[in-house]
Every structure is written in structure tokens, then in C-alpha cells.
């Protein structure tokens, strides 16, 4: 599951769901409390309206009774009776007509009313209305009553206008045969009272025992029949004190009923439940909209936050992948002061430490490689020296054996030749031949002596302080004429400040002569012939350089030049043994013999010797 989804679930679980649950619980409780309050208010309104209806009607009835009791009905003439009826008629605007009847309920004259007045107070009267009014109250019920006694009849519908009305009978004398004044009370004024008391969404009805609407806050319901559910509710509260509330369905309504026993009427308060609970439902809608808005805001903020978080985490992932590829110079941007910034800072410090560690490691590797190369070079040089020493030792052993075997025959040949030369005159034809045999024998003897010298490995040289410049001059004194005679330009660069070296002077002279001879031989066929001898100091050591402009030494044969009997000369001579002997002499003195040469570029041999 992605981080954004987890964050949304967390926000839903932590904020929206608890808010919605608490909000709807509070709304449910508020709805219940509001419904209860509506019921209480409806019952109070029904009870108070019933009391007001009863008080309004009873006030008129009591006023008629008091007035009738004070008037002299027994001695009045017909005109006076009519005047007194007019007086009763004027008691209240609720009174729409008054008529005098006898003890049997028969009219004693015409009804008193004003047909010119509005219908709301005085409905149209005719003979049927008079009969209806005369019989509206059963006067037999209080025939034994006294003067001024009043009785209220049942509600009825006015025959001419259809307006609900009720008749009030007032006894006009004390005898049983005394006439009665019957007044008709219409409910138009009660409807005004009900309209004033009804609020928006409420309907107040005054009903009788048969469920007919006698008066209503909505004039269109006048004399309408109550719904079956309301009739049952009305029946259940007849004969009880106070009001009762009900809840009806289809459509949902809240109803409260209060019964007035004295009037045999009830007051029904009906209110549409949806309209009554509109504040709660509007609040529910508001809460739903608020929860939805909060959810959208949280989603938007969560998306922005997780997008920024994902971007910063992706930077960490990319940095880690870069480190995995070896890109240790990669750094993360540090934004803000939060935990991710601390992570980025730590990550950067780790990169710096890794980069520094890699640099140290590479430095160690380079240093180790250099040391290994140096050690390998030293080992290779030591190995080459060991090989050369082994070669020289083997050749030395071979040369020693050969020299011992040849020396004796050579000594005999040389002695016999010298004896023959003593017996011959210079002009003898065999003298020259014998002299050549003597020279050849001496040359062989020199070769065998060199072999013997080379093979004497344990012989310690006579090392003592030697003037290097003097050794060079002595060697040049022996070969200078021959060298210049071969057309070679001889150059000497002898440093006057060169110190004395520790070496065997005889052996060192032999080395110099061997190098000079090799240089002359190398320059035999070159157009430019120049031989340079140079002395000096280098790194605390004394050096002697012999440089020529000869044909040089090819790279493939350079490692073999110190082998005995190896030569690059076109014609072999015994001098070929010189470099191997020279190498032995220089190493015995604690020095080195170096060579620099390229094919066709001449050669430079450098003798390096320690100071004395």
C-alpha cells in the first residue's frame, strides 16, 4: 500500500470518522431532544389553546347569563323583549343571532340578527335557521333551574353558510314554564385565535366528538373530517386532563390533543415532522457538508504533503542508488528543519565520510601499488643480479677449468717458440712465422688469465682510495694515440672537485680500458665519431660516464650485454669478455654499472662508485 493511501486511511481513522461519528451521535441526540421539545411545546400549545377556547366561549356564555338574569323578562312588552334580545345580541361579536323560545323550545318571535353585517359574524338566516337555532339546546335539561341559568348545546353546522356554531340557552324566569333566550355563537373569532397561535408548519383545529373540524387556523379545513388516525387519538384523550402527544406516519406528523369536557370539544395541534425537524436536518446537512469538505481538504493537503514527502524520499532513494553505483560525490538538498532534513544531512555526512574513506583507500592503494612496484622492481633487479651472478659463476667455473687445462700446453708452446726464435736470425724466413706463433700464444695466455681472473670469485680485491681522474688519464695514455688515429674525436670533461673513490686501481683501469675499446669498436662504421669521458658527483656518489656515438645497442639484446663472451661486434675478439669482468669489478667495489642506449643512437655507460 502506497504512503498516500496509508496517510488517507490514517486521516480517516484519526479525524474524519471520529468527527462524523461524534457529529451524528450529537445530531441524533439533538434530534431526539428537539422532537421531545416539540412534543412538549405542542402539548402545552394544545392545552393552552383548549383553555383559551373554553375561556372565550364561557366568557360569552357567562356574560349572556348575567345579562339575562338582570333584565325584567316577566313584565316586558314584545318590543321590550326585542330590545332586551338586542341587548344580549350585542354582548359579543361571537353572537350571530338571538331568539326567544318557550319552555318546549318553540320560537316566540323572530330571531334577532343583522343580515347586513359581514358573514364572518352573522351568517344568513331564514326560517330553517330559526328552527335549527330553536332546537339547538335541549331546554328540558334545566327546566327546574333558576333565572339566568345557562346551558351550552352541541356544535352544529349553520344551515345557510356552513359555518360551525354552538347554541347557548339562558333561562329568563324562575318557573318551569319560563321562556328561554337561545343565542348562536359562531367560531369565526376562534379561527382568528387559532391562526394567531399557530406557527409556521403548525395547524390548530377545534373538533367535536364526531371528529368534525369546527374551527381551524386554516380556514379551508372548516367542517372537514379528521383523519382516522387523528380520530383514534381524539377518542383516546376524551375525559382526560391535559394534553397528549402522538406521532403519525404517512406522512410523518407530530400531533398533540387537549380535550375540553365542558364544551365537549378538543384542540388538535398538527405539525409536519420534516418541517419541525428542519433545523436538525439542516444541521445534519451542514455537518455532512463540513465532513465532506474536511475530507476534501485533508485529501488535498495529504496529497500535497505525500507528494512532497515522496519527492524527498525519492531523492534519498536516488542518492542511495548513486552511492551503490559508486557516485559518492552525490549530495541531497536539505530543506527545512524536519526529520527528513536531518536524514538528508546525515546522508550527506555519510557520503562525505564514504568519499573521504574512498580517497584514503585509493591513496593507500596507490601507495601500496607504488611500493609493490618498487619491491617488484627491486626483486626483479635482485633476481637479474642473481641470474647474472649464477651465469658468471657457471662461466667462471667453466673458464677456470678451461684455463687450467689450456695454460700448460700454452706454456709449452710459448717456451718452445721463444727457444726457436733465439736460434733464428731476424732475416730467417721462419722468424716471422715463429713471431706470429708467439703472439698468438701470448694472446691465448691473456685469455686464459682473464678467465682465471673472472673465475676467482672468492678473491678479495685490493680496495683503497683512488683518484678517479688519474685512473681515466692513465687509461687514455695507453689508447689516446690509437683512438685519435681511428678518426675519433676524444672529449674529456673531468671535474676537478670529484672526490676520491674506494676501488682497486688495477681493476678499475681494466674496466675503463674495456669501455674505451668497446666504444671505438662501436664507432667503426658511423659517420660521426665522438668519444666523451666525463666525471662528476650524483646523489653523494662519484660517477664516470663513457659516451659514444656508435651504432648503439638494440632493446632486445640489452639484457645480455653483461654475459661472458657475448658481443655485438661484427668480428669477435677476446675483449668481449670485458663487460662481464667490468660488471664484477664494479660490484666488488660496492658500485653499479649502468647503461643507456638505443639502436642507432649511441651508448652511455655510467660507473657509479662510493666515496673513499
Amino acid at each position: 500500500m502506497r504512503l498516500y493511501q496509508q496517510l488517507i486511511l490514517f486521516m480517516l481513522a484519526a479525524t474524519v470518522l471520529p468527527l462524523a461519528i461524534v457529529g451524528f451521535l450529537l445530531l441524533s441526540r439533538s434530534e431526539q431532544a428537539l422532537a421531545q421539545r416539540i412534543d412538549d411545546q405542542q402539548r402545552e400549545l394544545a392545552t393552552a389553546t383548549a383553555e383559551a377556547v373554553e375561556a372565550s366561549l364561557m366568557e360569552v356564555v357567562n356574560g349572556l347569563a348575567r345579562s339575562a338574569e338582570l333584565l325584567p323578562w316577566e313584565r316586558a312588552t314584545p318590543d321590550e323583549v326585542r330590545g332586551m334580545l338586542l341587548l344580549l345580541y350585542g354582548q359579543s361579536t361571537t353572537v350571530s343571532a338571538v331568539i326567544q323560545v318557550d319552555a318546549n323550545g318553540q320560537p316566540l318571535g323572530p330571531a334577532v340578527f343583522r343580515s347586513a353585517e359581514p358573514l364572518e359574524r352573522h351568517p344568513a338566516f331564514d326560517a330553517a335557521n330559526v328552527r335549527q337555532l330553536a332546537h339547538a339546546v335541549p331546554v328540558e335539561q334545566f327546566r327546574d333551574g333558576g333565572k339566568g341559568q345557562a346551558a351550552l348545546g352541541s356544535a352544529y353546522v349553520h344551515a345557510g353558510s356552513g359555518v360551525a356554531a354552538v347554541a347557548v340557552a339562558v333561562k329568563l324566569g324562575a318557573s318551569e314554564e319560563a321562556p328561554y333566550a337561545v343565542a348562536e355563537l359562531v367560531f369565526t373569532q376562534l379561527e382568528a385565535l387559532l391562526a394567531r397561535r399557530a406557527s409556521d408548519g403548525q395547524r390548530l383545529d377545534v373538533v367535536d366528538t364526531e371528529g368534525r373540524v369546527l374551527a381551524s387556523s386554516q380556514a379551508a379545513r372548516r367542517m372537514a373530517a379528521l383523519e382516522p388516525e387523528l380520530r383514534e387519538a381524539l377518542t383516546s384523550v376524551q375525559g382526560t386532563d391535559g394534553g397528549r402527544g402522538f406521532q403519525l406516519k404517512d406522512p410523518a406528523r407530530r400531533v398533540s390533543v387537549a380535550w375540553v369536557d365542558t364544551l365537549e370539544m378538543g384542540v388538535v395541534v398538527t405539525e409536519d415532522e420534516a418541517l419541525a425537524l428542519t433545523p436538525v436536518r439542516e444541521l445534519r446537512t451542514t455537518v455532512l457538508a463540513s465532513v465532506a469538505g474536511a475530507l476534501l481538504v485533508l485529501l488535498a493537503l495529504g496529497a500535497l504533503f505525500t507528494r512532497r514527502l515522496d519527492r524527498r524520499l525519492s531523492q534519498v532513494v536516488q542518492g542511495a542508488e548513486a552511492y551503490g553505483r559508486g557516485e559518492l560525490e552525490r549530495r541531497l538538498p536539505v530543506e527545512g528543519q524536519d526529520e527528513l532534513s536531518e536524514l538528508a544531512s546525515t546522508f550527506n555526512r555519510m557520503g562525505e565520510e564514504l568519499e573521504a574513506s574512498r580517497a584514503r583507500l585509493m591513496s593507500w592503494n596507490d601507495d601500496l601499488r607504488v611500493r609493490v612496484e618498487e619491491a617488484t622492481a627491486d626483486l626483479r633487479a635482485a633476481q637479474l643480479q642473481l641470474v647474472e651472478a649464477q651465469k658468471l659463476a657457471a662461466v667462471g667455473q667453466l673458464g677456470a677449468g678451461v684455463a687450467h687445462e689450456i695454460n700448460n700446453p700454452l706454456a709449452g708452446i710459448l717456451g718452445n717458440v721463444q727457444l726457436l726464435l733465439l736460434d733464428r736470425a731476424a732475416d730467417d724466413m721462419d722468424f716471422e712465422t715463429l713471431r706470429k706463433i708467439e703472439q698468438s700464444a701470448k694472446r691465448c695466455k691473456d685469455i686464459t688469465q682473464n678467465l682465471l681472473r673472472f673465475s676467482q670469485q672468492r678473491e678479495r680485491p685490493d680496495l683503497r682510495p683512488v683518484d678517479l681522474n688519474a685512473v681515466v688519464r692513465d687509461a687514455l695514455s695507453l689508447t689516446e694515440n690509437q683512438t685519435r688515429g681511428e678518426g675519433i674525436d676524444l672529449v674529456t670533461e673531468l671535474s676537478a672537485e670529484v672526490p676520491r673513490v674506494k676501488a682497486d686501481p688495477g681493476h678499475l683501469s681494466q674496466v675503463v680500458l674495456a669501455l674505451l675499446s668497446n666504444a671505438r669498436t662501436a664507432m667503426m662504421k658511423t659517420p660521426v665519431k665522438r668519444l666523451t669521458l666525463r666525471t662528476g658527483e650524483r646523489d653523494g656518489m662519484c660517477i664516470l660516464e663513457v659516451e659514444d656515438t656508435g651504432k648503439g645497442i638494440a632493446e632486445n639484446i640489452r639484457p645480455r650485454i653483461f654475459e661472458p663472451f657475448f658481443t655485438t661486434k661484427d668480428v669477435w675478439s677476446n675483449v668481449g669478455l670485458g663487460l662481464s669482468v667490468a660488471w664484477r669489478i664494479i660490484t666488488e667495489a660496492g658500485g653499479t654499472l649502468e647503461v643507456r642506449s638505443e639502436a642507432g643512437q649511441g651508448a652511455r655507460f655510467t660507473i657509479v662508485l662510493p666515496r673513499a
Side-chain angles (χ1 to χ4, degrees):
M1 184 178 294
R2 300 292 295 175
L3 179 62
Y4 175 71
Q5 297 172 342
Q6 296 179 8
L7 182 61
I8 294 303
L9 291 178
F10 173 76
M11 289 190 296
L12 287 175
T15 58
V16 178
L17 288 180
L19 178 62
I21 292 173
V22 172
F24 280 105
L25 286 177
L26 293 176
L27 284 174
S28 178
R29 292 183 181 179
S30 299
E31 185 174 3
Q32 294 176 359
L34 180 59
Q36 183 64 39
R37 188 176 66 181
I38 290 173
D39 290 340
D40 295 341
Q41 290 178 349
Q42 279 188 344
R43 286 195 297 272
E44 293 176 359
L45 178 60
T47 303
T49 303
E51 293 175 353
V53 169
E54 181 182 15
S56 177
L57 292 178
M58 293 308 297
E59 181 181 2
V60 176
V61 172
N62 292 332
L64 292 174
R66 286 195 300 272
S67 298
E69 184 180 5
L70 294 175
L71 295 175
W73 299 93
E74 298 85 353
R75 297 183 300 277
T77 64
D79 292 335
E80 291 176 343
V81 170
R82 180 174 177 78
M84 288 185 289
L85 290 176
L86 288 174
L87 182 60
L88 294 178
Y89 175 80
Q91 287 289 316
S92 174
T93 57
T94 304
V95 180
S96 62
V98 180
I99 189 174
Q100 186 179 22
V101 299
D102 58 14
N104 296 321
Q106 296 298 322
L108 296 178
V112 177
F113 64 92
R114 295 177 182 170
S115 58
E117 295 185 3
L119 179 63
E120 287 77 8
R121 178 180 176 189
H122 301 292
F125 264 68
D126 53 17
N129 298 137
V130 173
R131 289 192 299 271
Q132 183 183 34
L133 179 58
H135 296 87
V137 179
V139 295
E140 292 83 2
Q141 296 179 0
F142 54 102
R143 188 179 297 274
D144 297 334
K147 183 180 180 181
Q149 185 175 356
L152 192 64
S154 300
Y156 62 92
V157 179
H158 196 278
S161 62
V163 176
V166 66
V168 178
V170 181
K171 194 174 184 180
L172 301 179
S175 64
E176 294 181 359
E177 299 300 329
Y180 299 87
V182 179
E184 183 182 58
L185 307 181
V186 295
F187 290 166
T188 53
Q189 300 300 321
L190 290 179
E191 289 181 349
L193 174 64
L194 297 177
R196 289 194 302 271
R197 288 178 172 265
S199 60
D200 294 338
Q202 285 184 335
R203 189 182 69 228
L204 275 68
D205 297 328
V206 176
V207 299
D208 58 8
T209 55
E210 297 178 0
R212 293 179 302 174
V213 178
L214 303 178
S216 177
S217 60
Q218 299 177 359
R221 288 182 51 81
R222 188 182 298 159
M223 300 309 300
L226 288 178
E227 295 86 342
E229 298 87 348
L230 291 178
R231 288 184 183 179
E232 294 178 2
L234 185 63
T235 303
S236 65
V237 299
Q238 290 181 5
T240 61
D241 295 333
R244 292 184 60 183
F246 304 91
Q247 186 173 5
L248 303 179
K249 298 181 180 179
D250 299 327
R253 291 162 293 168
R254 293 189 174 274
V255 180
S256 293
V257 179
W259 190 256
V260 182
D261 291 331
T262 56
L263 301 179
E264 294 185 354
M265 298 177 189
V267 175
V268 179
V269 180
T270 306
E271 187 170 2
D272 186 9
E273 186 173 279
L275 187 60
L277 299 179
T278 297
V280 175
R281 294 180 179 175
E282 290 179 351
L283 183 59
R284 181 184 290 113
T285 302
T286 302
V287 170
L288 285 174
S290 300
V291 171
L295 179 60
L296 291 177
V297 172
L298 288 176
L299 291 176
L301 293 178
L304 293 176
F305 176 74
T306 53
R307 182 177 179 182
R308 180 171 179 267
L309 187 62
D310 288 342
R311 178 178 60 81
R312 298 177 69 183
L313 289 178
S314 65
Q315 292 176 349
V316 176
V317 173
Q318 293 173 1
E321 292 175 349
Y323 284 2
R325 295 191 299 268
E327 301 174 4
L328 301 182
E329 69 279 359
R330 183 74 171 268
R331 296 294 180 267
L332 300 181
V334 179
E335 303 174 359
Q337 302 293 329
D338 53 7
E339 289 78 4
L340 287 179
S341 300
E342 296 179 359
L343 176 61
S345 300
T346 305
F347 196 89
N348 292 339
R349 288 196 297 271
M350 180 183 69
E352 294 173 357
E353 294 175 358
L354 288 176
E355 191 173 13
S357 299
R358 185 173 68 175
R360 291 193 296 270
L361 183 61
M362 295 301 294
S363 176
W364 293 340
N365 289 340
D366 295 339
D367 186 34
L368 181 61
R369 184 175 63 255
V370 171
R371 293 185 180 183
V372 169
E373 291 176 354
E374 292 176 352
T376 303
D378 293 342
L379 182 61
R380 187 178 295 110
Q383 185 179 10
L384 291 176
Q385 291 180 0
L386 179 60
V387 171
E388 293 296 332
Q390 290 175 348
K391 289 179 181 179
L392 294 177
V395 173
Q397 292 176 359
L398 176 62
V402 171
H404 281 294
E405 295 295 332
I406 293 177
N407 261 342
N408 293 329
L410 285 178
I413 294 171
L414 184 60
N416 290 324
V417 168
Q418 289 176 349
L419 289 176
L420 291 175
L421 286 174
L422 292 176
D423 294 338
R424 299 284 193 278
D427 54 354
D428 192 328
M429 59 179 302
D430 293 328
F431 186 83
E432 186 64 27
T433 302
L434 292 175
R435 189 176 63 80
K436 292 181 178 179
I437 293 173
E438 182 186 19
Q439 290 177 353
S440 296
K442 288 182 179 180
R443 184 178 301 170
C444 291
K445 184 179 180 180
D446 291 338
I447 293 173
T448 56
Q449 287 177 353
N450 286 335
L451 287 174
L452 287 174
R453 187 183 300 113
F454 182 78
S455 63
Q456 293 173 357
Q457 299 180 19
R458 293 184 178 85
E459 182 181 356
R460 297 182 63 84
D462 184 13
L463 301 178
R464 60 179 180 271
V466 177
D467 186 351
L468 184 59
N469 290 339
V471 172
V472 173
R473 293 189 186 98
D474 292 341
L476 287 176
S477 65
L478 298 176
T479 61
E480 183 175 2
N481 293 331
Q482 184 180 1
T483 300
R484 296 187 184 278
E486 294 175 353
I488 298 174
D489 184 13
L490 186 60
V491 180
T492 58
E493 298 177 0
L494 304 180
S495 175
E497 298 178 356
V498 63
R500 299 171 71 85
V501 298
K502 190 175 183 180
D504 188 320
H507 289 176
L508 187 57
S509 296
Q510 185 180 2
V511 171
V512 175
L513 288 173
L515 294 178
L516 292 175
S517 176
N518 289 342
R520 294 200 318 271
T521 304
M523 292 186 292
M524 290 178 62
K525 297 182 179 181
T526 57
V528 178
K529 299 178 180 180
R530 184 174 63 254
L531 178 60
T532 303
L533 283 80
R534 185 182 300 110
T535 60
E537 283 188 89
R538 186 180 69 188
D539 299 331
M541 303 286 284
C542 296
I543 63 172
L544 167 61
E545 293 182 350
V546 179
E547 184 177 1
D548 62 69
T549 58
K551 62 181 180 179
I553 304 173
E555 184 179 0
N556 58 336
I557 63 175
R558 196 179 304 142
R560 300 183 58 195
I561 61 176
F562 293 106
E563 295 179 1
F565 302 107
F566 179 81
T567 182
T568 60
K569 299 174 183 178
D570 296 330
V571 179
W572 184 88
S573 69
N574 64 337
V575 186
L577 190 65
L579 288 180
S580 60
V581 176
W583 182 85
R584 169 62 59 83
I585 292 172
I586 296 303
T587 55
E588 286 177 350
T592 60
L593 180 58
E594 303 172 356
V595 59
R596 286 185 59 187
S597 179
E598 297 289 340
Q601 301 295 326
R604 177 192 297 174
F605 287 86
T606 303
I607 299 173
V608 182
L609 292 171
R611 292 182 178 185

